[in-house]
């Protein structure tokens, strides 16, 4: 969350700094199986975010002591490229990327039928090529498509969105300026059919009413985003049936 700033985030007419209304998503585009070596992959463009997700497995978990005799383990690695942000990011893992890797692994573990693959691991790589706020949710949303594209059985898609508070107003899908200078940021991911919450984090503070308003907006948005996930998968299968890919 940002510090004091002169930047005006809500215009006189109630629109936002990038011209959107309070409940308007940034444009979202997902393309499936963009990498030949991965078992499944997806490229998501969400506003100014460009993020690749690559999935490998299930394969025998290595090193062996990490194996679980009852289920597969999901190992996620979230990484931000040095050139993905305004100020060059120091390469390699940091506290933030370790935290995001952990919460994304947990969210995907809830959706994947891990009990079908004892002693196995599923590797999920999320590479942020261009960052513009909401990368954990965009990365997770893409990773869920990549897992499905890899043919790994899932209970549900995982789909997410953020909402937050900007100059006292609850808004959907924060952009970079809103994330930096707003009063609250609430990323949430759910399972598409059951609606079960698999990721929820919050920066800043919201009243209970504001929290309810934000989560209602997020749940409505996840329906739209889930359709984009499904369309991305079916487009790929339709193309492979036609072209024999
Ligand atoms: O990306 P997400 O909103 O999930 O996580 P965040 O920690 O709230 O980061 C918000 C945004 O800050 C990122 O999406 C990047 O655009 C930016 N950021 C940055 O410029 N440099 C970093 N080292 C980390 C984040």
């Amino acid at each position: 969350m940002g510090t004091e700033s002169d930047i005006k985030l809500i215009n006189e007419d109630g629109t936002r700094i990038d011209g959107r209304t309070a409940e308007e998503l940034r444009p979202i585009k997902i393309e499936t199986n963009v990498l030949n070596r991965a078992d499944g992959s997806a490229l998501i463009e969400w506003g100014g975010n460009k993020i690749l997700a690559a999935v490998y497995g299930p394969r025998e978990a290595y090193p062996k002591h990490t194996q679980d005799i009852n289920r597969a383990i999901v190992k996620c690695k979230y990484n931000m490229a040095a050139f993905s942000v305004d100020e060059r990011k120091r390469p390699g893992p940091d506290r933030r990327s370790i935290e995001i890797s952990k919460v994304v692994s947990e969210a995907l573990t809830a959706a994947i039928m891990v009990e079908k693959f004892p002693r196995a691991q599923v590797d999920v790589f999320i590479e942020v090529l261009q960052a513009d706020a909401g990368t954990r949710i965009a990365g997770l949303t893409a990773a869920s498509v990549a897992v499905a594209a890899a043919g790994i059985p899932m209970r549900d898609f995982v789909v997410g969105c953020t909402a937050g508070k900007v100059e006292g107003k609850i808004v959907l899908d924060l952009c970079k300026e809103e994330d930096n200078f707003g009063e609250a940021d609430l990323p949430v991911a759910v399972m598409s059919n059951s609606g079960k919450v698999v990721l929820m984090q919050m920066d800043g503070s919201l009243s209970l009413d504001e929290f309810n308003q934000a989560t209602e907006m997020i749940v409505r948005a996840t329906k739209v985003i889930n359709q984009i996930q499904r369309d991305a998968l079916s487009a790929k299968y339709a193309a492979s049936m036609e072209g024999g890919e």
Side-chain angles (χ1 to χ4, degrees), residues 154-166:
M154 294 167 89
R155 282 170 240 291
D156 257 352
F157 275 99
V158 176
V159 54
C161 194
T162 67
K165 187 172 161 184
V166 173

Side-chain angles (χ1 to χ4, degrees), residues 80 85 89 96 131-136 176 179 185:
M80 248 181 169
V85 287
K89 186 205 162 276
R96 177 177 172 278
D132 191 32
T135 60
R136 77 195 60 205
K176 181 80 175 14
D179 186 300
D185 173 19

Side-chain angles (χ1 to χ4, degrees), residues 33-95:
N33 283 350
V34 291
L35 302 173
N36 289 341
R37 312 254 183 277
D39 293 319
S41 62
L43 172 66
I44 190 163
E45 292 179 42
W46 182 327
N49 291 308
K50 285 197 171 82
I51 303 172
L52 258 177
V55 170
Y56 297 81
R59 53 192 179 185
E60 190 183 358
Y62 187 82
K64 276 205 156 155
H65 70 82
T66 64
Q67 293 184 352
D68 185 326
I69 55 164
N70 297 312
R71 64 174 187 94
I73 45 175
V74 179
K75 292 185 182 169
C76 174
K77 222 179 224 167
Y78 166 101
N79 180 54
M80 248 181 169
F83 51 80
S84 66
V85 287
D86 288 338
E87 278 179 42
R88 178 181 179 275
K89 186 205 162 276
R90 204 163 159 247
D94 50 19
R95 283 179 60 142

Side-chain angles (χ1 to χ4, degrees), residues 25 28 46 141 159-161 221-229:
L25 282 167
I28 302 175
W46 182 327
T141 298
V159 54
C161 194
T222 56
K223 310 252 187 277
V224 176
I225 303 162
N226 182 229
Q227 194 53 53
I228 300 171
Q229 290 178 304

Side-chain angles (χ1 to χ4, degrees), residues 10 42 53 60-62 92-94 114 168-169 206 211 222 225 234:
I10 304 282
E60 190 183 358
Y62 187 82
D94 50 19
V114 286
K169 194 169 174 170
L206 293 174
F211 177 82
T222 56
I225 303 162
S234 18

